[in-house]
Every structure is written in structure tokens, then in C-alpha cells.
Amino acid sequence: MTLSSMTGFGRVEGHHGTVAWVYEVRSVNGRSLDLKTRVPSGYDYVERAARDLVKHRFQRGQVSLTLSVQTTEVQTGYSVNHAVLNQYLEVGQGLMQAGQATMPSLDGLLSLRGVIEAASAETDTDVAALEAPLLADLGAVLEHLKTARQDEGRALYDLLTQHLSAMTDAVDRAEALAAQQTEVIRERFTRRLNELLPDADLQERILQEAAVMAVKADVREELDRLRTHIASAHTLLSDSQSQGRKLDFLSQEFMREANTLCSKAAFSDLTKVGLELKSVIDQFREQVQNVE
């Protein structure tokens, strides 16, 4: 079983020196393959690499990739901002000369806002050194997404095969009921003519008209085509290639034959089975929209 879904999510965290990053990638249903990226300025090479990697891993779906990068500053101690301190001293000296203040204490001066600053080490990030680990994690997060899509595909495979089994059961029941079509039509036509012309001898006419109507109401071709489509669907579900579009087309063919079956049904039991079949086909087609 190689079925893959178009929905999934992946996340990878990494770091190099004082630089840390987080990749997040998610995908949803799409008619074709489309990639949208959000990366910080200066990391354009990640977007270029992502387009190639996504193209090699996936065939359909809307893929969104986000890269967040953060640099951690290394605190090495504290320093005095002499410019700010001198401003405070000038103001204080004027106040003391005017007799409005006394000599400030050392701890009082150092506690003034802006006098003491935390000193950070210079962290010149080597951009070239970041490229290799960033691209490695890019590949990793896309592999996580691929695994998630395959896990979803396994669940889809089980669900779709259950729908196909339900279709097969409905076709078997419809086939058994279809054998009664001719007799039902003949009895209905006979009863109607006897109501209209009770004294006429119309046995030969009844047989002729009933035969014509039975041919028009014959559903064997529709049932045969439904069986063929079901077999084709099983084959597509086990194929290693992207088969979402083909399965979607096949589900339309399922519905076409089911509609014809219902329109030809000559009695309620067969109509009921036809409607059940249409309901299962609707569920099948809804899930097929998720297949890559």
C-alpha cells in the first residue's frame, strides 16, 4: 500500500552556536503542487532549496513552509555609561551649588537609570557556517511531512477500501433484484391494460410491450461497468504513483452508473439499493479529495 494523503504537518528545531531556528511545514489539499514560504531576510537560499526538495517529494497539495531564526546574545558583564553619568553629575553639581542638594553617594549614582549597562559579546554569525545545518533540517522537516502524509494515506486506504467493499455488496444485491425486473414490468403492464381494456384479448400485445420495456430497463450493463470501475479503483489504490485525479474521475463514473441504475429501476427495492450505492459513492468521492 503506497497511498499518500495531501494533508500533514512537520516541525524541526535546530541551532548552531548562538543561532537557533524552527522549521514548520504543513500541507492541505490542492489540485496541483504549490509551495508558499516565509523565511527571514538573508535566508533566500532556504526558499530556493525548498522548491527543489518539495518538487522531488510531493506531486500535489498546497505546502506552507515557515522558518523562524533567533540569535541569542551572550552576556559578558556590566559597564558604566560615562556619557549618561556625566549628565547626572552636571545636573547634581548645579543643584549643590544652589544649595538644593547634597553630595550623592556612589551607590545612588550607580542606581540611576542608564548608568549601568549589560555588556554583550560581539557575535558575528558566520552565515556560511549556518547554511549546511539549516539545509539539513530543511530536508528533515520535509521528511517529517512526507511521513505524516503517508500515515494519513494508510488511514485513507483502509477507509476507501471499506467504501469499495460496500459498493460491491450493493452491486451484488442490485444484480439479484435486477433479475426480477422483467416479471415486475410484465405484471405492471398487464394490470394496467386490463384496467383500461378489461374485455380485450391482449396477451400477445402485452408480451411484446413488456419485452420492449424490459430491454429499456435492463441494468446489467450498468452493473458490469460498476464492477469494472471497482476493480480499477482497487488497482489505483495500490499504485505507487499519485492517483488522486484518476480516483476522482472514477468516482464521477461511479455516480453516472448509479444514477442510470436508479432511473431504470422498475420497483422500490432496486431503487433503494441504488440510493444506498449513491450514498457510498458520495462518501468515497469526499475522501478521494484528500488523496495525492
Side-chain angles (χ1 to χ4, degrees), residues 146-187:
K146 183 176 181 179
T147 300
R149 287 169 57 132
Q150 289 173 341
D151 290 342
E152 178 90 6
R154 278 188 282 273
L156 274 176
Y157 178 86
D158 293 339
L159 193 56
L160 291 173
T161 51
Q162 289 174 18
H163 289 327
L164 290 175
S165 296
M167 288 185 209
T168 300
D169 176 68
V171 169
D172 289 341
R173 287 186 287 131
E175 192 169 47
L177 291 170
Q180 305 173 30
Q181 285 266 90
T182 301
E183 184 61 25
V184 169
I185 291 172
R186 188 186 68 79
E187 289 180 357

Side-chain angles (χ1 to χ4, degrees), residues 131-282:
E131 183 170 344
L134 271 172
L135 292 182
D137 280 353
L138 172 62
V141 77
L142 291 176
E143 280 300 312
H144 287 186
L145 176 62
K146 183 176 181 179
T147 300
R149 287 169 57 132
Q150 289 173 341
D151 290 342
E152 178 90 6
R154 278 188 282 273
L156 274 176
Y157 178 86
D158 293 339
L159 193 56
L160 291 173
T161 51
Q162 289 174 18
H163 289 327
L164 290 175
S165 296
M167 288 185 209
T168 300
D169 176 68
V171 169
D172 289 341
R173 287 186 287 131
E175 192 169 47
L177 291 170
Q180 305 173 30
Q181 285 266 90
T182 301
E183 184 61 25
V184 169
I185 291 172
R186 188 186 68 79
E187 289 180 357
R188 183 180 298 167
F189 191 68
T190 300
R191 184 171 60 254
R192 184 59 175 159
L193 282 182
N194 286 335
E195 291 173 356
L196 296 173
L197 302 169
D199 299 326
D201 184 8
L202 301 171
Q203 186 64 28
E204 184 176 351
R205 180 65 174 175
I206 290 173
L207 292 175
Q208 292 175 351
E209 292 296 330
V212 172
M213 295 174 68
V215 170
K216 292 180 179 180
D218 189 359
V219 296
R220 285 177 297 181
E221 288 187 9
E222 286 73 23
L223 295 175
D224 287 344
R225 282 194 291 268
L226 280 167
R227 292 191 186 281
T228 300
H229 294 335
I230 291 171
S232 298
H234 279 295
T235 300
L236 291 174
L237 287 177
S238 301
D239 200 301
S240 61
Q241 301 298 319
S242 171
Q243 300 294 357
R245 288 194 183 92
K246 293 181 180 179
L247 286 168
D248 185 40
F249 172 77
L250 202 55
S251 64
Q252 296 177 47
E253 294 301 303
F254 280 141
M255 188 58 73
R256 190 193 316 276
E257 302 301 339
N259 283 331
T260 305
L261 173 65
C262 288
S263 67
K264 287 186 175 182
F267 58 109
S268 60
D269 288 347
L270 184 56
T271 300
K272 181 179 178 181
V273 173
L275 293 175
E276 290 178 11
L277 180 60
K278 290 178 64 174
S279 176
V280 176
I281 293 170
D282 273 333

